[in-house]
Amino acid sequence: TPVAEGIARCEDIAERVRGDRRSEAIVFGAMAQLHAMNGEFELARSLYRREQEYLASLGPSRELASTSLDSARVELLAGDLEAAERELRRDDADLEAIGETYFRSTVTGLLAQTLVLAGKNGEADRYAMAAQALEVLHVEHDERVGVGEHLLGALLRERLDVRVPTQELEVL
């Protein structure tokens, strides 16, 4: 779906869910990523902050503690690795504090990728292994390659400077 079409769809959905703060927040998170893809970083940031504000007004939740899945992607697209890392670390700590593991596996995986981009490979390895361990809790006899395995492979390719065709890469 082209970015402009995705934004239009989100705007339509936002209009239909107006008044339902949780639903509005989720739409704002998606719109934030789309606007970041369009190079509109300040608008994207205002949307993910609005997402966080709306969810915070509803009280602590798993959704609030995983908003970095939107905000970090915005910051990565904007080239602000420090902001992406900060957002992901906050949510990782919050999710760990409430014992949540399903979203945390994705947050730690994205944090591992962010750390690789920042040149912090040793720490990235630890987070990639944590993502894999957390994912194992949710996969029963599943033969697909997990996020953690995928990240460990990506980290190894990065270290060995192995080039993989773009169409073979899996995006989180």
Side-chain angles (χ1 to χ4, degrees):
T1 303
V3 171
E5 186 179 327
I7 291 170
R9 285 183 186 178
C10 285
E11 288 171 346
D12 179 56
I13 293 168
E15 193 60 39
R16 287 188 278 147
V17 301
R18 185 176 308 269
D20 178 343
R21 289 181 73 82
R22 182 181 177 280
S23 296
E24 284 180 296
I26 292 167
V27 174
F28 293 151
M31 286 176 65
Q33 291 185 64
L34 289 165
H35 281 287
M37 289 177 202
N38 218 24
E40 302 167 293
F41 301 118
E42 289 312 310
L43 176 56
R45 287 178 175 118
S46 72
L47 285 164
Y48 83 64
R49 288 180 185 124
R50 201 165 163 194
E51 170 194 25
Q52 292 167 339
E53 175 190 323
Y54 276 34
L55 289 172
S57 75
L58 300 173
S61 68
R62 177 181 64 187
E63 288 80 11
L64 175 60
S66 60
T67 58
S68 64
L69 295 174
D70 299 319
S71 60
R73 288 181 176 125
V74 167
E75 297 302 348
L76 287 169
L77 287 168
D80 192 340
L81 297 176
E82 287 179 17
E85 182 180 339
R86 186 174 50 250
E87 291 285 314
L88 291 160
R89 285 184 188 280
R90 180 204 61 230
D91 279 0
D92 180 51
D94 290 348
L95 291 167
E96 182 179 32
I98 63 173
E100 202 287 335
T101 58
Y102 187 77
F103 284 107
R104 187 169 174 232
S105 65
T106 306
V107 168
T108 57
L110 188 54
L111 180 53
Q113 289 180 324
T114 302
L115 292 167
V116 166
L117 292 171
K120 300 175 181 179
N121 292 332
E123 195 174 5
D125 287 344
R126 289 189 297 279
Y127 277 97
M129 287 188 276
Q132 184 177 29
L134 289 164
E135 186 177 277
V136 166
L137 298 173
H138 305 288
V139 179
E140 293 181 12
H141 310 294
D142 191 346
E143 294 181 7
R144 70 180 172 81
V145 174
V147 172
E149 270 183 61
H150 175 73
L151 286 169
L152 288 172
L155 290 169
L156 182 58
R157 284 191 301 275
E158 173 75 22
R159 291 257 176 88
L160 298 175
D161 196 29
V162 174
R163 303 290 179 218
V164 177
T166 305
Q167 66 269 23
E168 293 180 26
L169 294 178
E170 185 178 317
V171 179
L172 291 176

